[in-house]
Amino acid sequence: MGFLTLDHIHYSYPGQGSTVKDVTWQIEEGEFHCLLGKSGCGKTTLLKLAAGLLKPDKGKVYWQGVEVFKPSSQVGYVFQSPTLLEWKTVFDNVLLPISLKRKPNSKELDYGETLLELMGIISQKDKYPTELSGGQQSRVAIARSLIQSPSMLFLDEPFAAVDAITREELQDDLLKLCQLRKTTVIFITHDITEAVYLSDHVAIMSGGQIVQDYNVNLPKERSFEMRYDSYFNELCLKIRQSFSGVSS
Amino acid sequence: MKKVEYYSMLLMLLMLIGWELIARPMSELVLPSPGVVFIELWKGVSSGYFLPHILRTITEIVLGLSIGCTMGFILGVLMGEIDFLRRLIFPYVIASQAVPKLALAPLFILWFGFGMTSKVVITALICFFPLLENTLTAIQYTDPNKKDLFYILGATRLQTLIHLKIPAGLPAILAGFRVSVILAVVGAVVGEFIGGSEGLGALIIASQGMMDTPLMFSVLILLTIMGMLLYLGVNLIEGLFLKTYMKGRNK
Ligand SMILES: Nc1ncnc2c1ncn2[C@@H]1O[C@H](COP(=O)(O)OP(=O)(O)O)[C@@H](O)[C@H]1O
Ligand SMILES: [Mg+2]
């Protein structure tokens, strides 16, 4: 049994047809999975099911062999919208997961600053979310998901609002951080190159199902040049083609 | 900005001149001229005649407002949190909304006497509903993503209420408070109309009985000033609480 296992999951919102249909998905410890698909195909719903935020109508979710009934506090989750608390400063937002339980200690305060630095928003530390751009807000949300050093990360299009150059930097930082801590990641994106660059496995979702799962055979240590490598581009092309095959 | 304020002052001057021109040929009993009213106002203020009445009305407003808003807030939070309670009470809340509450004033005077209690009860009842409704709505419709976030973070129900639902609903709750403050003045004054010998409302009725129109006008001016000060106070409170919510938005 894997680290996180989805076993024949079904889900439909009240009064609607099935949004997620019979998804079986196995994720091993330390793996980086991308979930790729057009908008509305059910990616967010599947991620919420995997995290335990939604309960499947049929099928089960297992976390290290134990059935999941509610979200574990060992996970980090980044919602599709930044979901920051407008009445708290950027720094207090990042520390929220800890301050809900107790007063953060000096080590945690330091780590919060390190994360803000990594995300390139340390100068915004004492500002309020409404004073930040969309991309900066997303980065606050990512820092918040990382503050407790979770063993599993769920990221729902975290870089969607970030400009292309910053995004490449953030991708490298995220990869480094996850490799250092052996974090298991599910990352939703609609960008094929982003998916291939980041992940070990790319799952293609369409119409509520995972229709294909590609292995990415690139060295763990990613570098800028790989984006122009022939294997990289062939894989992107293959994925792109499988998409048009699926949708027609 | 400066220019608008200048014109605003000019408009006031024009209105005063208009008032004077219209009032000059009329009897003081129907429309006293501004000069007469201001002399009356000054006499009342400097001799201390108005002071107990002003204090009385303000006390009623403050007491009624605090009691009504506190109860409205607490019941709103409870109803927003406890589904059973909401479904149990909500039909009655709607029904009692439909009752014109000022029409209940004579009944309260019957029950609580001519003293201050009846006016405080009327004021509190009127202030209660805007706060109840806005708090209930705010608590019920917290952003589902934020609720999911607190769920993932393992927050307890009380933590979610205190650290998420109430602060997130604060703008809506304060909007309800603004309505309550305006209604509080109406409640206290109407209560005083119906029974009582003290307070600015009672003074208006008394001046009507004595056919002292200049006195009535000076009391109306006092009430207007009081209302404006209260409104200013609400703005200050809002500014204090909502500072961070608004940052960057009103630039
Ligand atoms: N809270 C909800 N209530 C009802 N329907 C929803 C809700 N969230 C999503 N849906 C529907 O489920 C489908 C899949 O949505 P979603 O999982 O958000 O897709 P994606 O993340 O791939 O864009 C969409 O058709 C959407 O309309
Ligand atoms: Mg989505």
Side-chain angles (χ1 to χ4, degrees), chain A residues 11 53 88 118 164 208 229 232 241:
Chain A
Y11 188 83
L53 271 176
K88 284 186 185 290
L118 206 61
D229 173 281
F232 187 96
Q241 280 165 344

Side-chain angles (χ1 to χ4, degrees), chain A residues 39-40 42-45 80 156-157 188:
Chain A
S39 65
K43 303 183 297 294
T44 299
T45 310
Q80 195 165 353
D156 196 346
E157 302 195 26
I188 295 183

Side-chain angles (χ1 to χ4, degrees), chain A residues 48 51-53 69-73 75 77 79 81 83-88 96-97 100-101 128 130-131 144 148, chain B residues 143-155 159 163-165 167-169 243-249 251:
Chain A
K48 286 185 176 171
L53 271 176
F69 292 105
K70 66 180 186 74
S72 147
S73 55
V75 306
Y77 196 110
F79 294 88
S81 56
T83 319
L84 303 175
L85 308 183
E86 296 88 356
W87 55 94
K88 284 186 185 290
L96 178 77
L100 269 179
K101 298 185 183 97
Y128 287 90
T130 46
E131 298 174 286
R144 179 179 62 195
Q148 287 184 297
Chain B
D143 175 9
N145 274 332
K146 289 190 179 130
K147 282 199 270 188
D148 275 350
L149 172 72
F150 272 63
Y151 185 38
I152 281 210
L153 294 179
Q159 280 180 322
H163 296 290
L164 174 63
K165 291 182 178 182
K243 193 166 67 212
T244 69
Y245 297 69
M246 298 304 177
K247 267 197 177 169
R249 253 180 238 170
K251 265 181 203 155

Side-chain angles (χ1 to χ4, degrees), chain B residues 77-143:
Chain B
V77 167
L78 287 177
M79 281 170 72
E81 273 296 286
I82 306 165
D83 221 38
F84 173 77
L85 199 67
R86 179 171 61 251
R87 276 185 282 169
L88 184 76
I89 300 181
F90 204 64
Y92 299 99
V93 170
I94 298 208
S96 55
Q97 276 287 53
V99 178
K101 277 159 288 289
L102 285 178
L104 295 176
L107 184 68
F108 287 132
I109 296 210
L110 201 70
W111 285 349
F112 301 106
F114 286 95
M116 200 154 81
T117 317
S118 53
K119 283 89 178 179
V120 172
V121 172
I122 294 164
T123 309
L125 187 76
I126 288 185
C127 298
F128 172 75
F129 286 99
L131 222 81
L132 169 70
E133 240 185 52
N134 281 38
T135 309
L136 174 60
T137 314
I139 297 286
Q140 260 185 293
Y141 297 105
T142 312
D143 175 9

